Amino acid sequence: MKPFAFVFPGQGSQSVGMLDAWGDHPAVAETLKEASAALGEDVARLIHEGPKEALALTTNTQPVMLVAGIAAYRAWRAEGGAEPAVVAGHSLGEYTALVAAGALTLAAAAPLVRFRAQAMQEAVPVGTGAMAAILGLDARKVIEGCAEALRMLGTNSGEAVEAANFNDPAQTVIAGSKAAVDKACEVLKGMGAKRALLLPVSAPFHSSLMKPAAEKLRERLANTPLASPRIPVVNNIEVAVETDPERIRGALYAQAFGPVRWVECMRAIQARGVDTIIECGPGKVLAGLVKRIDPTLASAAILDPATLADAKGLLI
């Protein structure tokens, strides 16, 4: 079997019934049972029944996406799938990657990501922050456009906008205060962006406005047991593989208010001699980004028994 990487999705890929196709697979059922005990609620019921609005709440989305990614990973391993050579996760997905790599237990990670979600939601009042996807413009131009928007608003305006997710060579997500994001969208369209789409999110994730949330998270991380990962994990904030638990804590803290450098993460995985990247968990967003980052990379997604079998075939 050729070497491959697993990547784990973050918020936005959730959907009601997203684990239904696994049926009563023992690995999935055990994962749901474990997470429910850790969170003190019926996670299986929340995922199966929703409603959609409940799943979309950040405080629910983050733990259920963690659980869904680990359920798919455990099903893969239970069905004889090999251990990946390296793993990574997009934003929240980095926590899933750390669980898969053995650095975090699911029992510790589930309440941790719920705490992270609550801290992020509380950091910026709903409606005062925003995020937007900028399409068809080089990342350097996006950074320049954000700086120009802030200049136009005035250095003492108190507004903030910055690049938050470098998703592919022509898609960068910006985040910050609502007024500054709106101004940056206007500026960036004037600079040649094909589209500037406001995202349906409740907070400006991975922006400097999340610093208060990061400070709360730092305290929680200090009391969360972490081990050295068994599998290399490429982190979002530094595009580095850390083995020291304290450095992993530091990277998770900084990730809360720093950008997701996803393009560079995929390049770092390639540099390790891996040219097959498999998304593990609901949706196919990351698999799509892989092809846009480098069409020579092979990609697939594992979200049910059929796609698990397909992914096995890809690795032969």
Side-chain angles (χ1 to χ4, degrees):
M1 188 172 282
K2 65 179 75 171
F4 65 97
F6 267 156
V7 293
F8 297 90
Q11 282 187 238
S13 292
Q14 72 278 357
S15 62
V16 176
M18 60 187 172
L19 293 180
D20 289 358
W22 293 105
D24 57 358
H25 194 292
V28 176
E30 181 57 36
T31 301
L32 288 166
K33 181 180 177 182
E34 189 178 336
S36 295
L39 291 169
E41 68 174 281
D42 190 342
V43 176
R45 183 174 181 177
L46 175 62
I47 293 173
H48 176 64
E49 297 181 4
K52 180 181 178 181
E53 293 73 22
L55 274 190
L57 292 172
T58 296
T59 50
N60 285 333
T61 307
Q62 295 201 21
V64 300
M65 284 301 298
L66 169 81
V67 171
I70 291 303
Y73 181 74
R74 289 180 174 177
W76 166 264
R77 296 291 281 144
E79 296 300 321
E83 196 170 79
V86 58
V87 295
H90 191 285
S91 185
L92 162 72
E94 188 164 305
Y95 289 79
T96 319
L98 288 165
V99 174
L104 261 175
T105 65
L106 179 60
L112 174 63
V113 299
R114 172 156 281 171
F115 178 87
R116 176 182 184 262
Q118 289 169 336
M120 287 178 155
Q121 191 60 74
E122 292 166 1
V124 179
V126 174
T128 62
M131 299 183 78
I134 309 302
L135 308 180
L137 200 62
D138 179 85
R140 288 171 296 181
K141 291 285 187 182
V142 174
I143 294 169
E144 291 171 13
C146 288
E148 175 62 14
L150 290 177
R151 189 193 65 76
M152 293 170 71
L153 289 167
T155 53
N156 298 318
S157 68
E159 303 291 347
V161 63
E162 56 220 75
N165 298 344
F166 298 98
N167 284 337
D168 73 34
Q171 183 196 123
T172 303
V173 174
I174 62 173
S177 55
K178 181 71 167 61
V181 169
D182 286 345
K183 176 58 73 174
C185 286
E186 177 187 316
V187 169
L188 291 164
K189 282 191 278 190
M191 292 172 66
K194 289 181 180 177
R195 301 182 77 183
L197 305 171
L198 285 172
L199 301 179
V201 296
S202 54
F205 304 118
H206 302 291
S207 75
S208 55
L209 297 180
M210 289 289 105
K211 193 73 183 289
E215 295 304 327
K216 292 179 182 178
L217 182 61
R218 195 210 297 260
E219 292 180 21
R220 182 66 176 252
L221 285 166
N223 296 307
T224 299
L226 266 170
S228 180
R230 186 179 64 253
I231 305 166
V233 181
V234 179
N235 70 31
N236 289 180
I237 195 70
E238 296 168 333
V239 195
V241 173
E242 302 290 0
T243 57
D244 175 41
E246 282 309 307
R247 290 189 64 84
I248 294 170
R249 286 187 177 93
L252 291 174
Y253 157 75
Q255 187 229 49
F257 62 93
V260 174
R261 296 162 61 186
W262 195 246
V263 174
E264 292 173 85
C265 287
M266 296 304 98
R267 300 292 188 209
I269 287 173
Q270 277 185 292
R272 300 176 78 90
V274 175
D275 60 9
T276 301
I277 300 177
I278 299 173
E279 181 170 4
C280 190
K284 300 179 180 179
V285 172
L286 300 184
L289 292 182
V290 166
K291 299 308 290 184
R292 293 200 291 277
I293 290 168
D294 189 340
T296 68
L297 288 169
S299 67
I302 296 174
L303 47 121
D304 55 30
T307 51
L308 188 153
D310 289 343
K312 274 187 175 180
L314 181 67
L315 298 174
I316 294 173

